């Protein structure tokens, strides 16, 4: 009997909730070579593999993981993200970073990932994310889930649940006609006092609802994520998007480059950009494709004085004779520099710089 969609959704949600408040350590992730060898012996989906974070260079593994409450034939698409190599010493290899589940949209995954580093205890404070895998399967983007708050609907629901009752001022009390006018006057006074008490009670309820709305709405509004018009989800700096692809095959090899084997061109960096881009052309023989490049950039001002130097290792896939556009994170964290051949900013001041590139190494695989 096939498992229903609602049951799969519930199982996936339970898997996300299984992430503990603080990270745990899983066995089997001591070295990257052992993880790569284990993955090479299994069929992998596009999401599974070794990924390198663009920000700090951490190496993480994404592998499918079975929900313990369900048999293998009824498992939803659930994954676990585990640290393999971290630049921070107190984060051990095998530290579970988060849990992932697939969604109905291809290449989009819901995730619960730790967002803070605890002192000497690993990671903590899980957060809700959406992970998007591009069509080429070479870039994975982490984005905060957006929480939408509608003030009018919340206020209307609060007032509806308060069960407010405002008495009608036209109501009249029936009494026997034989009673005297003085008796009727007293009865009317009692009736009027009851109506006044009810009105005051209703006003107190309205004031209480308004007070609750004034306290709750700013707190809910603070949870909203500001987004740009072109992207509906904001990138989170805690977990940067990796510039990598799935782990290379066992046939990959690092080669010694000669002048002209791989050509770098078209460097670009604007003042407002957080990324630097360039083009790489594979001029090697027709039998190999490039899957990784190591490049050094030396940045100088327009007088030739050095500003910075950085080495980047970029995962890619460049077939023989073809060109690909690659990106790295910029060294200009304050956004005050721009490449002198890029577009200069019009509304603010920025300093132009020049760059010299040097290709250090490359990893290639035979063309299948």
């Amino acid at each position: 009997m096939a498992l229903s969609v609602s049951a799969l959704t519930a199982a996936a949600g339970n898997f996300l909730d299984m992430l503990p408040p603080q990270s745990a350590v899983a066995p089997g992730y001591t070295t990257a070579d052992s993880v790569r060898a284990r993955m090479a012996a299994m069929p992998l989906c596009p999401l599974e593999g070794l990924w390198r974070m663009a920000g700090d260079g951490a190496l993480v593994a994404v592998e499918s993981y079975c929900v313990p409450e369900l048999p293998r034939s009824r498992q939803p698409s659930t994954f676990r993200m585990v640290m393999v190599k971290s630049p921070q010493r107190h984060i051990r290899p095998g530290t579970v970073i988060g849990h992932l589940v697939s969604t109905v949209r291809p290449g989009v995954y819901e995730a619960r990932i730790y967002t803070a580093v605890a002192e000497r205890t690993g990671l903590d404070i899980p957060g809700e994310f959406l992970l998007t895998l591009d069509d080429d399967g070479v870039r994975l983007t982490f984005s905060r889930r957006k929480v939408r708050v509608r003030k009018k609907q919340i206020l209307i629901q609060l007032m509806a649940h308060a069960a407010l009752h405002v008495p009608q001022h036209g109501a009249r009390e029936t009494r026997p006609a034989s009673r005297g006018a003085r008796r009727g006057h007293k009865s009317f006074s009692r009736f009027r006092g009851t109506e006044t008490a009810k009105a005051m009670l209703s006003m107190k309820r309205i004031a209480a609802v308004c007070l609750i709305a004034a306290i709750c709405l700013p707190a809910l509004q603070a949870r909203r994520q500001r987004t740009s018009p072109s992207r509906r989800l904001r990138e989170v700096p805690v977990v940067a998007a990796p510039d990598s692809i799935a782990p290379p095959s066992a046939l990959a090899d690092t080669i010694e480059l000669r002048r002209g084997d791989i050509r770098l061109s078209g460097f670009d960096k604007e003042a407002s950009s957080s990324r630097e881009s360039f083009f790489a052309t594979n001029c090697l023989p027709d039998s190999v494709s490039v899957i990784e490049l190591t490049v050094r950039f030396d940045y100088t001002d327009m007088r030739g004085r050095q500003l910075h130097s950085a080495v980047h290792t970029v995962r890619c896939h460049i077939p023989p004779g073809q060109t690909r556009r690659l990106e790295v994170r910029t060294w200009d964290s304050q956004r005050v520099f721009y490449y002198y051949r890029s577009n200069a900013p019009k509304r603010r001041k920025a300093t132009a710089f020049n760059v010299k590139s040097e290709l250090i190494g490359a990893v290639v695989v035979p063309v299948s």
Side-chain angles (χ1 to χ4, degrees):
M1 182 178 179
L3 191 65
S4 63
V5 175
S6 60
L8 285 174
T9 304
N14 293 336
F15 179 67
L16 293 180
D17 295 335
M18 288 168 58
L19 189 69
Q22 289 189 342
S23 60
V25 178
Y29 296 90
T30 307
T31 63
D33 294 337
S34 62
V35 178
R36 186 177 289 110
R38 183 176 71 248
M39 289 184 174
M42 299 185 300
L44 302 178
C45 72
L47 179 66
E48 294 181 276
L50 290 178
W51 296 83
R52 188 176 299 278
M53 298 294 182
D56 56 2
L59 188 66
V60 299
V62 178
E63 287 187 284
S64 61
Y65 186 78
C66 296
V67 180
E69 288 77 6
L70 292 177
R72 182 173 295 274
S73 60
R74 297 183 177 183
Q75 289 288 335
S77 298
T78 55
F79 305 88
R80 189 170 65 173
M81 182 178 292
V82 183
M83 179 68 68
V84 178
K85 185 178 181 181
S86 173
Q88 303 184 30
R89 295 182 178 180
H90 62 278
I91 300 180
R92 299 167 52 189
T95 300
V96 178
I97 301 175
H99 289 176
L100 294 72
V101 296
S102 60
T103 64
V104 294
R105 295 173 55 190
V108 179
Y109 304 86
E110 293 184 1
R112 179 167 294 178
I113 300 174
Y114 295 109
T115 60
V117 179
E119 295 183 0
R120 300 181 180 180
T121 58
L123 306 173
D124 60 2
I125 310 179
E128 303 292 335
F129 293 86
L130 282 180
L131 275 63
T132 304
L133 185 66
D134 65 356
D135 296 336
D136 296 331
V138 299
R139 184 175 177 85
L140 189 63
T141 305
F142 294 68
S143 306
R144 276 282 193 182
R145 294 198 63 180
K146 185 177 178 181
V147 180
R148 296 184 178 180
V149 179
R150 304 198 178 194
K151 296 182 179 180
K152 288 186 177 181
Q153 292 185 357
I154 293 179
L155 185 59
I156 292 174
Q157 292 178 1
L158 287 174
M159 296 184 68
H161 287 293
L164 302 178
H165 172 69
V166 179
Q168 298 179 0
H169 296 288
R172 301 173 62 183
E173 182 184 19
T174 58
R175 49 181 168 33
S178 60
R179 296 182 179 180
R182 186 175 181 180
R183 178 72 173 174
H185 178 71
K186 291 182 178 179
S187 177
F188 178 75
S189 298
R190 289 195 301 270
F191 175 74
R192 184 172 58 186
T194 303
E195 293 295 308
T196 303
K198 290 182 178 180
M200 292 182 63
L201 180 60
S202 299
M203 292 302 295
K204 289 181 179 179
R205 290 178 177 176
I206 294 176
V209 171
C210 293
L211 181 61
I212 293 173
I215 294 175
C216 296
L217 287 178
L220 293 175
Q221 184 70 12
R223 297 181 59 188
R224 298 184 61 182
Q225 301 292 331
R226 297 184 178 273
T227 59
S228 59
S230 60
R231 294 187 60 134
R232 302 188 66 87
L233 293 170
R234 181 173 63 88
E235 291 191 2
V236 181
V238 176
V239 279
D243 289 328
S244 62
I245 60 173
S249 66
L251 300 177
D253 187 21
T254 302
I255 63 172
E256 182 178 354
L257 296 174
R258 297 173 299 177
R259 185 178 182 86
D261 286 343
I262 297 176
R263 187 174 67 252
L264 303 180
S265 61
F267 185 89
D268 180 67
K269 194 275 177 186
E270 297 184 358
S272 60
S273 177
S274 63
R275 313 285 293 180
E276 301 172 3
S277 64
F278 60 95
F279 294 94
T281 303
N282 182 5
C283 301
L284 292 168
D286 296 340
S287 58
V288 293
S289 296
V290 179
I291 63 172
E292 181 179 282
L293 290 177
T294 301
V295 187
R296 177 189 290 116
F297 289 129
D298 291 322
Y299 306 89
T300 61
D301 63 8
M302 300 311 296
R303 295 184 179 180
R305 295 173 297 186
Q306 187 179 37
L307 298 174
H308 189 70
S309 180
V311 177
H312 301 280
T313 299
V314 187
R315 292 294 182 94
C316 56
H317 183 264
I318 310 178
Q322 297 191 21
T323 302
R324 293 292 183 268
R325 179 178 180 270
L326 307 178
E327 288 186 353
V328 295
R329 185 175 295 274
T330 183
W331 62 279
D332 178 23
S333 59
Q334 296 182 346
R335 313 292 192 271
V336 293
F337 291 91
Y338 72 96
Y339 183 53
Y340 78 102
R341 290 186 176 178
S342 301
N343 296 327
K346 298 180 179 179
R347 298 185 179 181
R348 63 191 181 105
K349 294 183 178 180
T351 304
F353 71 90
N354 196 359
V355 63
K356 294 182 179 179
S357 62
E358 179 185 357
L359 195 58
I360 299 177
V363 179
V364 299
V365 292
V367 177
S368 56

